[in-house]
Amino acid sequence: LTADPTSFIFSERTIRRIFPSLGNGEISDSFFKGLLQVHAGKVGFCSAYTFSFSHATLQEFLAAFHLQLLPEKNQIEFWKENLKNASFAIVWRLFAGLTGLSSDDLVEQLV
């Protein structure tokens, strides 16, 4: 979500970097348990895959979940930079629901 422009489609190279356990083998839908959809294609003479979340809301929820796991300092830093970014409106709502905005420091610095 922080890529500019926002990317909802990921290259095979990106996925292999994030999931090194995939190695160089074939990638199947079953590895991602339905969270990511695999799209087969070709680049020149080579096979290539792209990946996307089945729905943007799933990506937004996972972003909010990740953010709530970060140290409070990092959460504040992230939200100071992105709170007014419309791309993060749903992420903010999900984050607020997950955390209950229980950090007084976070609320004071953002409001």
Side-chain angles (χ1 to χ4, degrees), residues 67 75-83 91-92 95 110:
L67 286 166
Q75 292 175 14
I76 292 168
E77 189 177 294
F78 176 84
W79 286 117
K80 276 185 172 181
E81 189 174 317
N82 294 291
L83 188 60
V91 177
W92 170 251
F95 175 82
L110 297 178

Side-chain angles (χ1 to χ4, degrees), residues 5-6 9 27 34 36 40-41 45 65 77 96-97:
T6 302
I9 299 174
I27 301 174
L36 285 179
F45 295 107
F65 187 81
E77 189 177 294

Side-chain angles (χ1 to χ4, degrees), residues 83 92 106-111:
L83 188 60
W92 170 251
L106 181 117
V107 173
E108 284 176 18
Q109 291 200 37
L110 297 178
V111 179

